[in-house]
């Protein structure tokens, strides 16, 4: 008979199912495309505008992180977001449990009040989640194949799964129009702390060597920034960028997304995302060693 023994060392569990979304979902199509990833970078600028959350991050960890550590943090976040959609249910659950644990551990004591400040604040969680969904959809709309209103609404409903896994408080939004309204109206209550302003400046002025690389980087940044609502642009030092320059950056960013697809179909991109999740999961799901079956 076939030897089904697991190696003596603990190993990652094999993929067991299609996860919480599956091949019929809009989420697989959108989140596997480079355009949504480019658009999602826009969410960082929106999330910086939640002053309480940025102050909390400054106190908890970000002040001690350099550029390499920050890049690693963003890579881990991207890996989690990938696995939340493309991993099987066991790995998606493990990833969400890990992120939720990290949020619970991210606390600091306010020296003025003596109170312990926690990261899991309801409005911070809602703002972070829905600006991410808004930005990814906007990226896919502007830099990718585009979405019908019905499909955009369906993606919003599908995103409830991820929101619930991270315990994002409801009520959850049901249509993309509601998400858009939430983001735009939410900007009326946002502000830019000095820490967020410095972080935003670093993102807008990365340390890139060479004139060609700097030009390419600026075009992509302009494309990403072009997605921001007009009132959000007022928070950042982009007054030197004209509407014409934003439009040129958006066209270039769309070209970059097109080249990143390398003529691959949506099915090819989905297969790649699943493959990356299997090869390097955000959180491994261990299987225990089993005894050898008796020979027969």
């Amino acid at each position: 008979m076939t030897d089904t023994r697991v190696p003596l060392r603990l190993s990652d569990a094999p993929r067991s199912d299609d996860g919480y979304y599956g091949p019929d979902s809009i989420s697989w199509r959108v989140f596997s495309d480079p355009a949504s990833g480019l658009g999602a970078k826009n969410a960082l600028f929106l999330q910086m505008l939640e002053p309480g959350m940025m102050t909390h991050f400054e106190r908890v960890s970000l002040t001690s992180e350099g550029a390499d550590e920050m890049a690693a943090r963003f890579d881990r976040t991207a890996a989690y977001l990938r696995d939340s959609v493309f991993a099987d249910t066991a790995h998606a659950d493990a990833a969400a449990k890990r992120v939720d644990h990290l949020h619970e551990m991210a606390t600091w004591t306010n020296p003025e009040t003596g109170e312990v400040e926690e990261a899991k604040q309801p409005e911070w969680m809602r703002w972070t989640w829905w600006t991410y969904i808004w930005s990814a959809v906007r990226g896919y709309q502007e830099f990718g194949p585009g979405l019908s209103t019905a499909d955009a609404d369906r993606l919003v409903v599908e995103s409830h799964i991820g929101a619930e896994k991270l315990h994002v408080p409801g009520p959850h939004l049901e249509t993309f129009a509601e998400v858009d309204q939430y983001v735009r109206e939410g900007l009326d209550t946002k502000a830019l702390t000095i820490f967020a302003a410095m972080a935003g400046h670093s993102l807008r002025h990365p340390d890139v060597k060479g004139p060609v690389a700097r030009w390419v980087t600026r075009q992509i940044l302009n494309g990403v920034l072009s997605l921001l609502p007009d009132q959000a642009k007022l928070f950042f030092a982009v007054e030197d960028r004209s509407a014409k320059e934003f439009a040129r950056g958006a066209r270039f960013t769309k070209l970059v997304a097109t080249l990143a697809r390398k003529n691959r179909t949506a099915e090819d991109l989905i297969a790649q995302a699943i493959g990356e999740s299997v090869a390097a999961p955000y959180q491994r799901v261990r299987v225990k060693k089993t005894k050898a079956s008796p020979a027969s």
Side-chain angles (χ1 to χ4, degrees):
M1 63 179 296
T2 303
D3 187 349
T4 58
R5 288 177 296 177
V6 174
L8 292 178
R9 63 179 179 80
L10 290 176
S11 58
D12 190 45
R15 182 176 177 85
S16 59
D17 53 48
D18 282 334
Y20 287 101
Y21 296 84
D24 294 328
S25 68
I26 298 298
S27 296
W28 270 23
R29 171 155 56 95
V30 170
F31 290 110
S32 65
D33 195 278
S36 65
L38 286 165
K41 297 181 185 302
N42 176 75
L44 293 173
F45 291 99
L46 291 171
Q47 290 161 8
M48 286 179 192
L49 299 177
E50 176 48 66
M53 184 169 65
M54 290 304 293
T55 298
H56 184 88
F57 284 169
E58 181 184 9
R59 297 292 189 275
V60 171
S61 64
L62 295 187
T63 53
S64 62
E65 293 184 348
D68 291 343
E69 290 80 4
M70 285 292 290
R73 175 187 287 269
F74 291 145
D75 287 345
R76 290 194 299 271
T77 299
Y80 165 71
L81 293 170
R82 177 204 64 205
D83 282 12
S84 70
V85 175
F86 296 102
D88 62 7
T89 52
H91 286 84
D93 286 346
K97 184 177 180 180
R98 174 62 178 168
V99 170
D100 189 56
H101 174 70
L102 292 174
H103 288 168
E104 289 181 346
M105 296 293 291
T107 63
W108 67 287
T109 301
N110 189 323
E112 297 181 0
T113 65
E115 295 182 359
V116 176
E117 305 283 353
E118 300 179 351
K120 295 179 68 172
Q121 300 294 326
E123 186 48 40
W124 298 358
M125 297 171 73
R126 280 175 57 81
W127 182 251
T128 298
W129 182 256
W130 293 115
T131 52
Y132 165 65
I133 297 299
W134 185 89
S135 297
V137 171
R138 290 289 294 121
Y140 193 83
Q141 288 173 328
E142 296 299 322
F143 309 141
L147 278 177
S148 66
T149 299
D151 281 350
D153 292 347
R154 184 177 162 193
L155 184 141
V156 169
V157 172
E158 290 177 0
S159 77
H160 294 179
I161 299 170
E164 289 165 0
K165 287 295 176 183
L166 289 181
H167 307 295
V168 176
H172 296 323
L173 306 175
E174 299 290 337
T175 68
F176 185 72
E178 291 178 6
V179 177
D180 186 67
Q181 181 180 10
Y182 168 78
V183 170
R184 294 178 187 277
E185 291 183 352
L187 289 170
D188 293 338
T189 63
K190 304 308 176 190
L192 192 66
T193 66
I194 184 60
F195 174 70
M198 293 171 63
H201 183 273
S202 296
L203 285 176
R204 296 194 312 279
H205 300 87
D207 184 16
V208 179
K209 306 299 183 184
V212 174
R214 285 196 294 269
W215 183 88
V216 169
T217 300
R218 183 177 177 87
Q219 296 309 308
I220 295 175
L221 278 169
N222 285 344
V224 170
L225 291 168
S226 73
L227 300 178
L228 287 173
D230 288 340
Q231 61 266 49
K233 292 174 184 173
L234 296 175
F235 287 100
F236 298 102
V238 294
E239 65 278 0
D240 61 330
R241 291 166 166 85
S242 65
K244 189 174 182 179
E245 189 173 4
F246 277 131
R248 184 165 57 247
R251 290 193 298 271
F252 183 82
T253 305
K254 184 170 185 175
L255 174 62
V256 169
T258 300
L259 293 174
R261 291 187 196 95
K262 299 178 181 177
N263 295 320
R264 290 173 293 178
T265 65
E267 289 74 19
D268 293 334
L269 294 170
I270 288 168
Q272 177 181 338
I274 292 172
E276 291 173 351
S277 177
V278 171
Y282 174 84
Q283 185 71 21
R284 294 188 179 277
V285 176
R286 298 298 188 179
V287 290
K288 294 181 179 180
K289 177 182 63 175
T290 59
K291 294 182 179 179
S293 300
S296 61

